[in-house]
């Protein structure tokens, strides 16, 4: 099955700096890559996603890049704020089925210091 | 518009007991998935229900079973509980016929097995 690796496991940045989280996947059939933010005690919430026919996607301070050849994708957060502090999970979905399961990475604890 | 709702929020059980967790999907969603999230880990796929049938299953033993009702709500049952079953159990829903539509998660049920 698919295997998603995520790095780093923890990341500390100063407010206003950028943060980058990287993920790799193993199955070349994966074609959907969402990122979720999970605050302590709360549900994972989708913050951005990208499909395999797109190389980059931006939404305000958040961007995701995808390199299908190398099988890796990254989350970029610019101008970080303390409220960005949370655990971030990358995930990959195999195949074209609308019922596809998600394979998650182990998460990155992001801490933004004021 | 109510999102994904889960009950109960917390549960404490003893080894060997059985437990039932409940989930109501987001309005307009007909596909329900269950994930297990151990402390400090990413969510792990348990299984997925659509049209009242189990459509996909992750690497979980038969002690884990489920059901989907005609109103799309779902139950997760775990028999013969082990200490290792202690985790946050997340329910997620999506509409079935809409490409790679994002998964919407509930707040989860925190299960503690003693």
């Amino acid at each position: 099955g698919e295997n998603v690796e995520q790095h780093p496991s923890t990341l500390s940045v100063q407010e206003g700096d950028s943060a980058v989280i990287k993920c790799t996947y193993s199955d070349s059939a994966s074609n959907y890559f969402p990122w979720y933010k999970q605050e302590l005690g709360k549900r994972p919430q989708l913050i951005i996603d990208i499909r395999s026919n797109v190389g980059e996607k931006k939404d305000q301070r958040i961007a995701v890049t995808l390199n299908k050849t190398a099988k890796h994708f990254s989350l970029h957060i610019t101008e970080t704020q303390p409220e960005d502090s949370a655990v971030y999970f990358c995930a990959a979905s195999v195949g074209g089925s609308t019922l596809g399961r998600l394979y998650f990475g182990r998460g990155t604890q992001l801490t933004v210091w004021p | 518009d109510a999102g994904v709702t889960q009950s109960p929020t917390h549960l404490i059980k003893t080894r060997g007991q059985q437990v039932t967790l409940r989930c109501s999907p987001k309005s307009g969603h007909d596909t329900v998935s269950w994930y297990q999230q151990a402390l400090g880990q990413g969510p792990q796929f348990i299984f997925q229900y659509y049209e009242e049938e189990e459509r996909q299953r992750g690497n979980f033993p038969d002690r884990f079973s489920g059901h989907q009702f005609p109103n799309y709500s779902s139950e997760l049952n775990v028999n013969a509980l082990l200490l290792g079953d202690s985790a946050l159990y997340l329910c997620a829903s999506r509409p079935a016929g809409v490409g790679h539509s994002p998964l919407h998660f509930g707040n989860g049920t925190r299960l503690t097995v003693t």
Side-chain angles (χ1 to χ4, degrees):
Chain A
E2 173 66 281
N3 181 46
V4 177
E5 300 280 347
Q6 183 173 348
H7 300 279
S9 56
T10 61
L11 181 59
S12 291
V13 299
Q14 203 73 32
E15 182 178 1
D17 288 348
S18 294
V20 180
I21 302 171
K22 298 181 179 181
C23 290
T24 61
Y25 61 99
S26 60
D27 193 332
S28 56
S30 289
N31 59 3
Y32 175 65
F33 307 92
W35 287 86
Y36 285 84
K37 174 184 180 181
Q38 188 175 31
E39 296 176 65
L40 191 62
K42 296 189 177 181
R43 70 182 75 190
Q45 291 195 301
L46 179 75
I47 55 171
I48 196 168
D49 58 8
I50 190 168
R51 288 160 177 75
S52 60
N53 58 347
V54 176
E56 183 176 3
K57 183 177 178 180
K58 289 184 180 180
D59 182 4
Q60 299 182 340
R61 297 186 297 109
I62 295 172
V64 57
T65 58
L66 171 65
N67 183 327
K68 286 181 61 180
T69 303
K71 296 205 207 80
H72 66 71
F73 55 114
S74 300
L75 178 71
H76 304 252
I77 306 174
T78 59
E79 300 172 22
T80 54
Q81 301 167 2
E83 50 265 39
D84 293 330
S85 297
V87 179
Y88 291 80
F89 292 97
C90 63
S93 183
V94 180
S97 167
T98 62
L99 305 181
R101 61 182 281 186
L102 289 182
Y103 295 82
F104 283 85
R106 296 181 63 148
T108 296
Q109 173 69 63
L110 173 64
T111 303
V112 180
W113 300 101
Chain B
D1 177 21
V4 179
T5 58
Q6 293 186 241
S7 63
T9 55
H10 295 84
L11 205 51
I12 299 175
K13 290 286 188 179
T14 304
R15 277 178 298 175
Q17 286 188 317
Q18 178 265 343
V19 68
T20 297
L21 311 181
R22 295 177 176 81
C23 170
S24 291
K26 180 179 169 65
S27 178
H29 290 186
D30 51 7
T31 302
V32 173
S33 300
W34 288 92
Y35 286 79
Q36 180 196 67
Q37 187 177 21
L39 201 59
Q41 304 290 321
Q44 297 291 314
F45 177 79
I46 302 175
F47 42 53
Q48 182 178 66
Y49 279 84
Y50 172 60
E51 293 184 327
E52 303 179 47
E53 290 187 11
E54 183 183 293
R55 299 292 178 157
Q56 294 189 64
R57 188 179 183 90
N59 189 25
F60 280 80
D62 292 344
R63 298 186 298 109
F64 289 77
S65 63
H67 189 79
Q68 185 180 34
F69 300 93
N71 66 353
Y72 310 122
S73 67
S74 177
E75 288 182 348
L76 164 64
N77 301 293
V78 187
N79 294 323
L81 284 167
L82 304 174
L83 295 179
D85 295 332
S86 295
L88 179 67
Y89 288 85
L90 294 163
C91 174
S93 70
R94 63 167 21 138
V98 191
H100 272 301
S101 54
L103 270 183
H104 293 254
F105 283 90
N107 283 327
T109 294
R110 174 71 62 186
L111 173 64
T112 302
V113 182
T114 63

